[in-house]
C-alpha cells in the first residue's frame, strides 16, 4: 500500500521563483557575494522539497528593506546636496567662466577705446542665465519631490 502513495512533488515553480527573487534582491543590496548567491540559487533550483528550498533562504529576511533615496544619505541639508550636484555645478561653472571671459574682453575693449561701451556681454549672460535658472528650479523640484522621474 505504501508503494501506491504518490511521491511528494517538489516545490512549485512559483515557490522557486519567489526564493530566486529574494536571493536576487539580497544580492543587489550587497548582502550576498557572487559565490554565495550562485550556490544558493543552485540550491533553490535543485531543491526536491519545500524544506530544502526554505533552507536556501531561511537566514535572510523575507523582504529586504528598500534602498534609501540618495538625498536621505546627505542628512537634513537637502539644499546642500542640490548645490553639490554635478548636474548643476558643471553648467553653472561653465556659465560663470564664459561670462567672465566675455566681460573681460568687453572691459579691455572699452578701456582701450576700441569699443563705444555697448554691453554686448549681457546678451550671453542674460539668456543663458535664464535657462540655467529654470534648470536649477526644475532640479530643485525633483529633489523636493523625492528624486523620482516622471515615468516612475
Amino acid at each position: 500500500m505504501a508503494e501506491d502513495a504518490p511521491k511528494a512533488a517538489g516545490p512549485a515553480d512559483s515557490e522557486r521563483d519567489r526564493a530566486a527573487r529574494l536571493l536576487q534582491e539580497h544580492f543587489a543590496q550587497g548582502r550576498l557575494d557572487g559565490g554565495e548567491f550562485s550556490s544558493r540559487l543552485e540550491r533553490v533550483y535543485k531543491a526536491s522539497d519545500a524544506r530544502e528550498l526554505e533552507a536556501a533562504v531561511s537566514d535572510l529576511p523575507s523582504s529586504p528593506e528598500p534602498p534609501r533615496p540618495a538625498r536621505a544619505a546627505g542628512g537634513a541639508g537637502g539644499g546642500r546636496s542640490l548645490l553639490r550636484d554635478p548636474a548643476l555645478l558643471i553648467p553653472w561653472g561653465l556659465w560663470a567662466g564664459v561670462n567672465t571671459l566675455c566681460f573681460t574682453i568687453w572691459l579691455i575693449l572699452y578701456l582701450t577705446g576700441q569699443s563705444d561701451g555697448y554691453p554686448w556681454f549681457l546678451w550671453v549672460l542674460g539668456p543663458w542665465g535664464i535657462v540655467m535658472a529654470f534648470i536649477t528650479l526644475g532640479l530643485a523640484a525633483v529633489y523636493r519631490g523625492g528624486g523620482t522621474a516622471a515615468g516612475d
Side-chain angles (χ1 to χ4, degrees):
M1 192 77 179
E3 294 173 9
D4 294 340
K7 291 185 178 181
D13 287 342
S14 62
E15 293 173 357
R16 290 183 200 274
D17 290 341
R18 180 196 61 80
R21 275 194 310 273
L22 183 66
L23 289 174
Q24 289 170 343
E25 290 172 7
H26 285 287
F27 176 64
Q29 291 182 4
R31 291 192 187 96
L32 299 172
D33 64 12
E36 186 175 4
F37 170 72
S38 296
S39 80
R40 285 179 185 241
L41 194 60
E42 185 177 341
R43 286 172 45 199
V44 162
Y45 285 112
K46 287 185 176 181
S48 59
D49 60 17
R51 183 180 45 81
E52 289 178 11
L53 183 64
E54 187 59 34
V57 295
S58 63
D59 61 332
L60 298 172
S62 61
S63 63
E65 62 186 54
R68 294 181 177 177
R71 69 185 197 110
R80 290 182 67 199
S81 63
L82 175 66
L83 295 177
R84 292 183 181 170
D85 188 352
L88 284 179
L89 283 178
I90 294 169
W92 276 113
L94 288 171
W95 177 86
V98 167
N99 285 293
T100 300
L101 178 64
C102 288
F103 177 76
T104 303
I105 292 169
W106 174 84
L107 187 61
I108 290 170
L109 292 174
Y110 179 72
L111 293 176
T112 61
Q114 302 293 318
S115 171
D116 61 354
Y118 180 76
W120 56 265
F121 64 90
L122 294 177
W123 287 104
V124 177
L125 183 134
W128 191 1
I130 291 170
V131 169
M132 288 300 303
F134 279 114
I135 291 171
T136 303
L137 291 173
L139 277 175
V142 168
Y143 270 72
R144 250 192 325 273
T148 59
D152 289 345

